[in-house]
Amino acid sequence: MTTRQAPRALTDDEAYALLRRHAGHSSAFLALNEGNRRFRADGIDGFVPYREAGRRHLFELGGPVCAPADQERVLTALLDEAGRAGRRVTAVQLGREAAELHARHGFTVNQFGASFSIGLDGYSLGGQRMVKVRNMVNRARREGVTVTEVAAEQRRTPDVAGTLDAIDRAWLRGKGRHVKELDFLIGERGGPGAPHRRLFTARHEGRTVAYVSYSPVFGTRAGWLYDLTRRLPDAPPGTVELVFATALQRFQEEGCGWLHLGFTPFVQLRPETCAFGPTSSVLRRALELLAAKGQAVYPAATQESFKLKWRPQVIEPEYLAFQHGVSPGAVWRLMRLTKAV
């Protein structure tokens, strides 16, 4: 997207500082993913993460990162700039307030899925409701699985990086030869945000068999986001659960308030969540169909089941918003951008 007298581009450190000051969405750290661009409005302390697709589409991620009083101005500036470039804007993974903001600007808004969060104060894996989780964690321990946090400087060494790369390749192969690794709406191990993430690995019989990375979350529910999970196909049952439980305990010991399980598309869809603005019944039915039969596109039911078994106390809707209404071109470009097709 071309700009006229565009403000100076943000450095990675400046973008991170803005996230610390203004971000509240649990997945806002995805703004630092490699490949994302950052739109700035002149004179405003903030930015909008986005990517372009084709010649006519711009995909905004998560909404404006700025003070609440500046959000209207930033979004208006983005829409003006996109219009001058001949692009229509689609916003992805919006929280409720950002969705309402876009609805006020004439966007068609539909619920896209939900995010899940655990308040760590007083949280415990004890009790009858958590018995299945404890059984999986204990099974991995009996198999001899151990979990270690790997510091950022260690992750950059050739041996560790090569091991993690090998797990990535094996994980993807295990999904099937036609499956692509999703992009844009999930975390990554490298990129500009790598120094700020935390990574826990699981070892079994002398080799690394899985890892989970966590990204920082800012705002009123500050904490960590369960971001990226990879495991070898032959990792013992309960390995990921043991990594998760170990990290959760570590975060509690550090006084962390929240552990966010992240966004899952096509789940927890409820029509009443979009009562604040115009919505598309056609898109709603398509999303409901994907929820029921779309495992080939994304294993949403499996992801939701994993997250629900940890008994998150907060489940919040997240939204898609289309400028000038939902168009087949925008939907297709979004699926291509995320590598869903």
Side-chain angles (χ1 to χ4, degrees):
M1 184 175 65
T2 60
T3 60
R4 296 183 297 184
Q5 298 179 339
R8 178 183 57 82
L10 290 170
T11 67
D12 296 335
D13 287 343
E14 288 171 336
Y16 177 71
L18 283 168
L19 289 169
R20 288 182 62 89
R21 286 198 294 275
H22 299 305
H25 193 290
S26 62
S27 295
F29 193 77
L30 297 181
L32 291 186
N33 275 8
E34 198 164 19
N36 287 346
R37 303 177 70 177
R38 303 156 190 163
F39 172 82
R40 299 181 68 193
D42 193 31
I44 297 179
D45 186 53
F47 71 102
V48 182
Y50 73 94
R51 292 191 193 181
E52 295 174 347
R55 293 179 298 174
R56 302 169 65 181
H57 296 278
L58 183 150
F59 290 92
E60 175 194 353
L61 178 62
V65 179
C66 59
D70 291 327
Q71 289 179 358
E72 291 274 359
R73 289 175 59 201
V74 172
L75 180 57
T76 298
L78 174 69
L79 298 180
D80 289 346
E81 189 61 41
R84 286 192 289 268
R87 295 182 181 274
R88 61 191 298 168
V89 175
T90 300
V92 183
Q93 206 173 333
L94 300 176
R96 176 64 180 256
E97 290 185 3
E100 292 178 351
L101 168 66
H102 285 72
R104 292 196 298 271
H105 282 260
F107 279 65
T108 297
V109 178
N110 279 71
Q111 188 188 354
F112 190 25
S115 61
F116 304 76
S117 302
I118 297 172
L120 293 180
D121 185 19
Y123 182 83
S124 170
L125 298 183
Q128 184 62 33
R129 296 204 310 170
M130 302 299 291
V131 65
K132 291 183 179 179
V133 171
R134 292 199 305 275
N135 286 343
M136 294 298 291
V137 169
N138 291 332
R139 182 175 178 178
R141 286 183 175 138
R142 289 194 300 269
E143 292 281 345
V145 178
T146 58
V147 177
T148 304
E149 183 172 3
V150 182
E153 58 271 16
Q154 292 178 288
R155 302 197 298 265
R156 293 192 293 267
T157 63
D159 286 348
V160 173
T163 296
L164 299 177
D165 288 342
I167 292 174
D168 289 343
R169 291 191 296 269
W171 175 86
L172 194 58
R173 286 197 304 270
K175 297 294 182 180
R177 65 189 183 93
H178 297 297
V179 174
K180 302 175 184 177
E181 187 169 12
L182 294 180
D183 194 13
F184 192 49
L185 300 181
I186 66 170
E188 59 187 14
R189 188 157 47 83
H196 306 291
R197 295 189 184 90
R198 298 176 69 169
L199 186 137
F200 293 76
T201 60
R203 291 182 61 83
H204 179 246
E205 296 181 346
R207 62 182 184 137
T208 302
V209 296
Y211 72 83
V212 179
S213 71
Y214 295 84
S215 295
V217 178
F218 309 110
T220 57
R221 292 179 183 163
W224 294 94
L225 169 69
Y226 171 72
D227 194 13
L228 195 64
T229 304
R230 298 288 185 264
R231 62 187 291 273
L232 295 178
D234 60 349
T239 293
V240 172
E241 286 83 355
L242 177 58
V243 176
F244 189 96
T246 302
L248 186 152
Q249 183 178 4
R250 177 75 55 83
F251 299 150
Q252 282 185 310
E253 291 169 353
E254 295 169 354
C256 173
W258 289 86
L259 176 55
H260 301 274
L261 307 183
F263 168 68
T264 301
F266 318 137
V267 302
Q268 303 283 326
L269 300 177
R270 300 187 304 275
E272 66 273 15
T273 62
C274 296
F276 54 84
T279 188
S280 167
S281 59
V282 173
L283 180 59
R284 176 175 56 81
R285 288 193 293 270
L287 292 170
E288 289 171 347
L289 181 63
L290 284 169
K293 303 182 181 297
Q295 286 292 103
V297 176
Y298 187 80
T302 301
Q303 290 290 319
E304 181 188 32
S305 177
F306 178 84
K307 293 174 182 181
L308 288 176
K309 74 182 180 182
W310 296 96
R311 305 296 177 185
Q313 303 99 323
V314 177
I315 301 175
E316 296 179 304
E318 298 206 2
Y319 299 87
L320 277 170
F322 294 84
Q323 188 184 26
H324 309 311
V326 179
S327 73
V331 173
W332 173 251
R333 283 293 181 182
L334 176 60
M335 294 180 72
R336 293 293 302 274
L337 181 64
T338 60
K339 298 183 179 178
V341 296

